[in-house]
Amino acid sequence: MPQVTLGVSALYHDAAAALMIDGQVIAAAQEERFSRLKHDPSLPVRAAQWCLDEAGLSAQDIDQLIFYEKPLRKFERILSTSIATFPRSALSFPRQMKAWLGDKLWTRNRLVEAFGVRPERVGFSDHHRSHAASAFYSGPFERAAVLVADGVGEWATTSLWRGGPAGLEPLGEVRWPHSLGLLYSAMTAFLGFAVNEGEYKVMGMAAWGTPRYREALDRVGRLLPDGGFALDLDHFSHHWHPTRAYTDRLVALLGPPRPPGAPFALLDPSASAAARAESQRHADLAASVQSWLEDALLHVIRHAHQRSGEANLCLAGGVALNAVANHRLALEGPFAQLFVQPAAGDAGGALGAAQWASFGVAGRPWSPSRFRPDLGPSLDEGRVADLVADLGFPCEALPHEDALLDRAAQDLLSGQVLGWVQGRAELGPRALGHRSILADPRGPDTALRVNTRVKLREPFRPFAPSIAEEQAALVQLPPAAAALGPYMTVACPASDRLREAAPAVVHVNGSTRPQLVSAADDPRYHGLLRRMGEATGLSALLNTSFNLKGEPLVGSATDALATLARCELDAVYIGPLRVGRPPARVLGG
Amino acid sequence: MGALRRAWIGLTGQFAWRLRPAHMLRSFSRTEQGSALDMFAAVESTDRRDIRKKYFRHALDEWRHAGIFRERAREVAGPDAVESGREEAGMLVEHGIVGGRTLFERLGERDFLAFVFVAEADAVEQFGVYARHGLLDAGTEAALERILKDELFHVSYSKHELDRLSEAEGAAAARGAVRRIRWSRFKEGYLRLSRDIGHGMSSLWLLALYGLVLPPFRLFARLEAPGWQAPPTEARSAADALMSEA
């Protein structure tokens, strides 16, 4: 009988389900793609059902359902922190206790009820072990050190593991409330962005500034001689305040926080000098925290190298999605090779929980492989065609591969911005050519147009390129980051040629966050890039996630068409169909 | 019942619009955003291909309305206002997928249409009361006027489609669906109120517990030290540890 394992992450943010059969990952998806609520934390009932449907199974066939963390250990941390921070935790205690006593403490029962499995089949990994497993067992190394860094799991905020044929061996951890992720999140909130959502924006904004607040930040986050770090907790309140992550002392140190939604005046020629100075201060703060994080991570991985004795490093946890930091780790760190899979956040925890149960506990044989993130749902072409017809969108069927790619390339070359929905959806936050918005990166105004008229988001945010593998020289990927090429998990300097020819995908500081696409991995997408290369000499496209600001990546055909209708996209390619902009009568209003 | 409802809306509106206008506008924005999700889900789920376009247009309207309300809230509140996490979380509870199913899947097409009809008619009535009582500033009234035109279309098409769907069984079937939805909305409102009261009460109890029981333990409690620490020792086998929640 095949062994069916369902991994589940939920109840904090980015709920997901991942299905493995006899050690093979069959399907994985995030609940947000079904519910349309970004970072949806609720139990991933729809995602799990889709995974089972994909495999032709039902809930009765699940041999093990593995939750990605241990709720009782997490509750212990919350309760003891409330006690240790008495009386400052007065506001957070009732809120936390209500959430836990009324809901999260009964996770096993909720899982049994929601997924229809027997209680004795429900197991629990540890939060950081799930992350570590998702990085190591998805990676290309026989042996590696594994570093997990995020906000917090049960107790650990940073943990070190040694991965090898015998499994994952824990080597050490830094515990709550000292957390790299939470310092970065506190600064994210300080800069007026939503925590667990705006960290990318801080990273993007950092390129506009200089780290002139580094000295101040070195005082609130110290690097320790043991290879760890310590936060000065007088400046932070994540451990006792229910909603605010920093205290007035941080405000006294760094000046007033940026109001949410404040305009970014550095890109506005008509802005006043005062507004520009204020935006520059915000960018400098972002640059300072980015610089602090990079130095802290370098400090930590030097310890990891020494302690583990391994040559290669896998990184996981939300902090591992900091592509700018990953470049410095690859360039200046002691490891020969790095690997970061693109679902390094909590969604990947579902995958890791299932992998840990399969390989680490059941002892199934495992071998290094090339990770493919396209584990999610694909769209039924017949249903899509019906929907398009019913909604009255103009549509053209292009059943022949060459005709489809020629037409898409022609659209892009004429300056159109396209939605691109092909094959199975990606797991994790990165659109890697399956649920993407694409544009010709050569236009000087392309970035601004896609930001403000298509994505409806902040104008300072950068775009990343997809590049055909044979033109990898367009970017200066450090040798240690070679394994990150396919996943957009590292930012690196753009070549002079890319800077000159494709300004839309090069950030203000000359960096870019590439996805290198091979014909073997993704023949259709590679074919499109190749056509762009034939026409322009540059086998590259601007590739950004197919969503609007504040929304998850598109899941269904309706989501794709709704996005087309609500912004200035020119067309969407869904499988072999080219769907054009809808006539005004469809849009109403 | 209708007069009572209008009086209640007028009375509560007096306080709400005077004391927390931005909060009101943000809550409308979230409701519209949630409705857009429900309508898009209906586009995917319905078997009646001739109604999809109406659902789709309705969803786009709701999404646009959410933007109008959000923008107005921002204008009313000023640039420094921050939306609380609790307000954000409120939307998660009421829309999208609940218990693995969308609103359309939970209700079925007839009751879904009845729900749309009742909810939209209630909204039109609510906006009307606010306008008649002069509770809105000029900017908000102008925003509502833009929205009201769409809402009237939503009321009329949903009623028309509900009647059309119920044609075979007669008008009583449509009336029955509307009654069921009115009752369930009343029940949900009551449950929401009870839940809010329960939350308030439990917060007080837990706060009392916090003040009375926790202080002695504070003497022994310490936050974890910074820096690297040894991983927790695990005496159990990996298989046993996997089955445990602790």
Side-chain angles (χ1 to χ4, degrees), chain B residues 109-115 117-118 158-182:
Chain B
E109 185 126 32
R110 190 201 318 267
D111 281 18
F112 177 78
L113 277 166
F115 181 93
F117 167 66
V118 170
S158 55
K159 181 71 172 70
H160 172 74
E161 292 295 340
L162 176 62
D163 290 342
R164 201 159 69 91
L165 187 67
S166 312
E167 225 163 41
E169 292 115 298
R175 280 200 303 273
V178 170
R179 262 200 310 274
R180 269 196 305 281
I181 292 299
R182 284 205 189 285

Side-chain angles (χ1 to χ4, degrees), chain A residues 46 70 89 98 124 390 558, chain B residues 44 105 203 210 241-242 244:
Chain A
R46 278 301 260 258
K70 292 200 179 289
S89 51
K98 269 191 287 182
F124 299 85
D390 293 346
T558 303
Chain B
E44 274 286 309
E105 290 163 341
S203 292
Y210 178 82
L242 186 68
S244 167

